[in-house]
Amino acid sequence: MTSLIHDHPSRLVSVRELFNIDSDFKVPVFDNKDEHVPDIDPAYCFNPDVTMAILAGFTRNRRVLVQGLHGTGKSTHIEQVAARLNWPCVRVNLDGHISRLDLVGKDTIALKDGKQITEFQEGIVPWALRRPVALIFDEFDAGRPDVMFVIQRILEQDGKFTLLDQNQVINPHPYFRLFATANTVGLGNVNGLYHGTQQVNQAQMDRWNIVASLDYLPREDEISIVQGKVPRYADERGYQLISTMVAVAELTRSGFAAGDLSTLMSPRTLIAWAENTEIFGDPALAFRLSFLNKCDEAERPLVAEYYQRCFDQELEESQSLKLALM
């Protein structure tokens, strides 16, 4: 890892060339691919506005927060941008068990020359600060409020980090970058969809230079992604099947927006549905196992009705809805 500390981007490349975005904006690219650089997903579909926001973070050292519903590919979006820049990237999932010691570091017992000694093992924040690494805080709004104040200082551009236990001040590497993803914009679990999220201190939210919102993709893009993930359906017949699946997903999202459903089908679930259809050879069975069984029991008849509208096939659950209405 010593060589990584001294590494830096070697050239500038147009976003038109890398991401097919009509812009003269140029971004720094590393020549050497480190082990922390994510693998490129050739089927990934970039949202132009969010991509430009993330690229501003890499190029101009802006602190970027990507917000959106589950399954929209927030973290993956940052990783895939980093993959094309050959930029080392580390992703930290902020669950309730992440503590200040995990982020900052702690004293550990180690063996040296056959003797037990106590030495300081730095956490992920000082480790990343010393290197040209894009640090991603995944599920930023799920982190414990008292722990999240640890990063308050480094949210400021060129913010230094103080290790109190070591009496040391760390100057961030010139190519250290900080990103985060969140299901909410720091408001907590407003609609009951994201249990475990916290209200984020507004002084901390104010430190994010850019807040990008990532929504579900247009229909054709979503179809292309599913076909890319499940190549068996990459032909014309598969297109018709996936297009019908996407239509069901869109109905669940409209039902959620109207307050008729308490859950919705994300692109992640849609891909799982296509993969399970390939396994079982039956879209109806795969639909039940991938999404329907996750829904509230009282809402399943309505979800089955969505399926019937698109596939022209009755499910047991839609029959129960008709009986209830008689």
Side-chain angles (χ1 to χ4, degrees), residues 303-318:
V303 177
E305 183 69 16
Y306 292 157
Y307 183 92
Q308 191 276 333
R309 288 187 207 172
C310 299
F311 279 89
D312 196 23
Q313 178 184 353
E314 292 279 1
L315 300 180
E316 296 176 6
E317 291 81 0
S318 60

Side-chain angles (χ1 to χ4, degrees), residues 211-235:
V211 177
S213 182
L214 185 60
D215 203 351
Y216 294 129
L217 292 167
R219 172 184 285 239
E220 290 301 320
D221 291 341
E222 201 161 8
I223 293 172
S224 298
I225 288 176
V226 178
Q227 286 184 306
K229 293 292 186 181
V230 191
R232 177 179 174 179
Y233 300 125
D235 56 11

Side-chain angles (χ1 to χ4, degrees), residues 101 104-108 119-123:
L101 296 179
V104 177
K106 56 190 173 183
D107 289 329
T108 59
E119 62 180 14
F120 181 77
Q121 179 181 350
E122 63 183 15

Side-chain angles (χ1 to χ4, degrees), residues 169-214:
V169 177
I170 301 176
N171 290 299
H173 190 283
Y175 294 101
F176 165 78
R177 298 295 183 263
L178 184 63
F179 299 89
T181 68
N183 292 127
T184 72
V185 284
L187 301 178
N189 186 32
V190 177
N191 55 15
L193 195 60
Y194 299 113
H195 296 287
T197 56
Q198 315 279 347
Q199 284 190 330
V200 179
N201 183 288
Q202 285 302 302
Q204 190 167 92
M205 282 296 299
D206 191 57
R207 282 171 160 79
W208 291 99
N209 306 127
I210 297 174
V211 177
S213 182
L214 185 60

Side-chain angles (χ1 to χ4, degrees), residues 37-270:
V37 175
D39 294 327
I40 292 178
D41 179 1
Y44 192 81
C45 186
F46 290 93
N47 177 295
D49 291 343
V50 176
T51 302
M52 290 301 294
I54 295 170
L55 289 173
F58 279 108
T59 307
R60 300 296 178 87
N61 195 18
R62 312 301 285 169
R63 304 301 189 235
V64 181
L65 173 68
V66 181
Q67 178 270 335
L69 293 171
H70 59 287
T72 51
K74 299 180 293 297
S75 304
T76 311
H77 208 304
I78 302 171
E79 287 183 326
Q80 286 305 306
V81 171
R84 284 154 176 81
L85 302 179
N86 274 338
W87 205 298
C89 183
V90 177
R91 181 172 161 183
V92 179
N93 189 55
L94 289 174
D95 57 53
H97 295 285
I98 294 292
S99 68
R100 183 183 182 278
L101 296 179
D102 295 319
L103 297 181
V104 177
K106 56 190 173 183
D107 289 329
T108 59
I109 297 176
L111 282 176
K112 190 172 184 179
D113 298 329
K115 298 180 180 179
Q116 284 189 348
I117 62 170
T118 301
E119 62 180 14
F120 181 77
Q121 179 181 350
E122 63 183 15
I124 189 64
V125 171
W127 179 90
L129 275 168
R130 300 180 194 274
R131 295 167 171 83
V133 166
L135 179 60
I136 306 173
F137 285 122
D138 210 8
E139 311 297 348
F140 178 75
D141 50 357
R144 285 167 41 193
D146 57 321
V147 173
M148 297 317 299
F149 278 110
V150 169
I151 69 167
Q152 189 92 336
R153 183 70 176 89
I154 63 171
L155 277 174
E156 300 174 10
Q157 195 169 3
D158 300 326
K160 299 177 182 179
F161 189 75
T162 305
L163 284 175
L164 296 177
D165 296 340
Q166 301 296 302
N167 294 328
Q168 186 180 149
V169 177
I170 301 176
N171 290 299
H173 190 283
Y175 294 101
F176 165 78
R177 298 295 183 263
L178 184 63
F179 299 89
T181 68
N183 292 127
T184 72
V185 284
L187 301 178
N189 186 32
V190 177
N191 55 15
L193 195 60
Y194 299 113
H195 296 287
T197 56
Q198 315 279 347
Q199 284 190 330
V200 179
N201 183 288
Q202 285 302 302
Q204 190 167 92
M205 282 296 299
D206 191 57
R207 282 171 160 79
W208 291 99
N209 306 127
I210 297 174
V211 177
S213 182
L214 185 60
D215 203 351
Y216 294 129
L217 292 167
R219 172 184 285 239
E220 290 301 320
D221 291 341
E222 201 161 8
I223 293 172
S224 298
I225 288 176
V226 178
Q227 286 184 306
K229 293 292 186 181
V230 191
R232 177 179 174 179
Y233 300 125
D235 56 11
E236 182 61 30
R237 187 176 178 183
Y239 176 88
Q240 296 301 325
L241 174 63
I242 301 302
S243 178
T244 308
M245 289 179 169
V246 172
V248 177
E250 289 175 339
L251 285 175
T252 67
R253 295 165 192 170
S254 297
F256 174 79
D260 297 329
L261 292 180
S262 59
T263 187
L264 52 79
M265 184 179 292
S266 71
R268 184 187 298 120
T269 305
L270 188 61

